[in-house]
Amino acid sequence: MSDLPADRPAAGVSGPSPEMLEALRERLKERIYAAITMLAVVVGLAQNPHTRHATAALYVTCTAVGLWLATLVADAQAHRVVHQRLPDRREVQHFLFVSSPLLGSAAGPLVMVGLSAAGVLGLETALWVAVGVDVASLAAWGYTGGRRMGGGLLVSALAGLVDAAIGLGVVTVKLVAGH
């Protein structure tokens, strides 16, 4: 949750620029989209009794890299259409900064697959733990977002529950469609 700036800057220090706040907003949006997408992939892997460690790691990695590359291509194309020119170096750096959480969406599932490969727990269990962690992270983002917007504990908890419900909705759809 380090993508969010501190509530208040230190005395005598100005807060993040409007451009930085916008980049952080875009970055958080990408992180949430990636978590939801990865959730669907990991549920699919957990449901398949033939999934192996290498296959799970490959699918998780390819999903994250594919999302990242698709986002970069879409950003570059949209930029070119709107501005009628290729992005400059600063704009490319912005695209990379904003889209990098897409790659991070693979970290949790890959750690769990690695723990399973090391014999700490079974692969199916590891994948379901990764699903639970993703749903919990969505809830945490919702709660944190509610707090950052000035919501009290109840409103923030409700925001966290709504985000968790979205994650659980994805899990439910995958479970129903998978059988």
Side-chain angles (χ1 to χ4, degrees), residues 50-127:
H50 304 294
T51 298
R52 301 291 175 251
H53 294 98
T55 306
L58 180 66
Y59 278 39
V60 166
T61 301
C62 287
T63 297
V65 171
L67 282 171
W68 177 68
L69 290 173
T71 298
L72 289 177
V73 167
D75 283 345
Q77 287 177 347
H79 184 278
R80 191 164 184 191
V81 167
V82 170
H83 298 286
Q84 298 180 342
R85 64 175 175 77
L86 293 172
D88 62 27
R89 181 181 173 148
R90 183 188 57 76
E91 291 162 332
V92 169
Q93 288 173 333
H94 172 80
F95 297 162
L96 292 170
F97 175 75
V98 167
S99 65
S100 63
L102 295 168
L103 294 171
S105 69
L110 287 175
V111 166
M112 294 311 301
V113 170
L115 288 172
S116 174
V120 175
L121 66 168
L123 181 57
E124 183 180 355
T125 302
L127 292 169

Side-chain angles (χ1 to χ4, degrees), residues 7-84:
D7 283 337
R8 293 183 186 90
V13 176
S14 63
S17 69
E19 294 81 17
M20 178 53 85
L21 289 174
E22 181 63 18
L24 292 171
R25 182 200 62 79
E26 290 179 61
R27 189 174 161 91
L28 177 57
K29 177 190 71 170
E30 294 297 341
R31 182 180 296 250
I32 292 168
Y33 284 156
I36 291 169
T37 302
M38 192 60 71
L39 190 58
V41 170
V42 175
V43 169
L45 291 169
Q47 286 182 290
N48 185 342
H50 304 294
T51 298
R52 301 291 175 251
H53 294 98
T55 306
L58 180 66
Y59 278 39
V60 166
T61 301
C62 287
T63 297
V65 171
L67 282 171
W68 177 68
L69 290 173
T71 298
L72 289 177
V73 167
D75 283 345
Q77 287 177 347
H79 184 278
R80 191 164 184 191
V81 167
V82 170
H83 298 286
Q84 298 180 342

Side-chain angles (χ1 to χ4, degrees), residues 138-139 142-143 154 156-166 168:
L138 288 171
Y143 176 82
L154 184 60
S156 299
L158 182 60
L161 287 174
V162 167
D163 284 6
I166 291 168
L168 290 172

